[in-house]
Amino acid sequence: MENYVYEKAYPIREELEAAVRSDDKEEVAEYLRRCRRSKRKTAHLVIPPTPQIFERLIADCEMLVKEFCGKIRATIDYSAFSATIELWCDYVEFRDDEFLCILQRVAFYATTIRISPLVTGTLHIWIDIPYFFPLPEAKDLR
């Protein structure tokens, strides 16, 4: 019996490449500023069970960085209404023991998990956790 290998590459589409390489950085920056201003105008509530969940995820991620000799930073930003956990490790492995359970728990609660290699070779793992809930305006409730 022969080994099975499936391989396929998807190059970046032309319209995406044009957007990524856009020279108009000021236009992108202005768009981000408008988004931040709009978000600040909306009242937000902390989702009730989230503080305990966030603390548990920090403890889980701390186990990872201890095992893989990394660094952790957790942030709750009350002006941008975001909560993130960031990890920096040279190497991470999710085996079928406790570390795979951590990955499953993080994947269950996170809205985004981004894993990027840095120029230094270190992995940067960025985890967004839904911590805040925007309150609808009174006019939207009618």
Side-chain angles (χ1 to χ4, degrees):
M1 183 174 257
E2 291 185 38
N3 292 340
Y4 174 79
V5 177
Y6 179 84
E7 190 174 306
K8 194 168 188 177
Y10 294 93
I12 190 167
R13 295 188 317 260
E14 287 179 29
E15 64 272 13
L16 288 178
E17 186 171 5
V20 169
R21 303 196 194 302
S22 173
D23 289 335
D24 197 359
K25 294 182 176 121
E26 186 53 40
E27 184 177 319
V28 173
E30 179 54 34
Y31 171 75
L32 293 174
R33 282 191 289 273
R34 281 195 316 268
C35 288
R36 284 189 206 109
R37 280 193 302 267
S38 172
K39 206 172 197 182
R40 285 187 189 127
K41 290 179 183 176
T42 305
H44 287 73
L45 290 177
V46 173
I47 301 169
T50 306
Q52 293 83 10
I53 293 168
F54 194 70
E55 289 297 321
R56 171 69 191 270
L57 292 176
I58 291 170
D60 287 343
C61 290
E62 190 168 350
M63 289 172 55
L64 282 170
V65 295
K66 278 183 184 176
E67 178 71 20
F68 297 104
C69 304
K71 177 173 105 170
I72 183 172
R73 177 173 57 205
T75 306
I76 301 170
D77 187 334
Y78 290 93
S79 60
F81 302 108
S82 65
T84 59
I85 301 172
E86 294 178 85
L87 313 173
W88 291 267
C89 297
D90 291 332
Y91 166 77
V92 177
E93 180 177 344
F94 299 101
R95 297 179 301 274
D96 57 341
D97 59 1
E98 62 188 335
F99 296 122
L100 189 55
C101 290
I102 290 171
L103 179 62
Q104 290 169 334
R105 192 166 26 256
V106 168
F108 181 77
Y109 288 112
T111 53
T112 305
I113 301 171
R114 198 174 310 124
I115 303 171
S116 306
L118 300 176
V119 176
T120 60
T122 302
L123 291 175
H124 180 212
I125 303 170
W126 177 284
I127 305 163
D128 287 318
I129 308 296
Y131 201 92
F132 298 95
F133 179 77
L135 289 177
E137 293 186 26
K139 65 178 179 165
D140 296 334
L141 296 175
R142 295 180 205 161

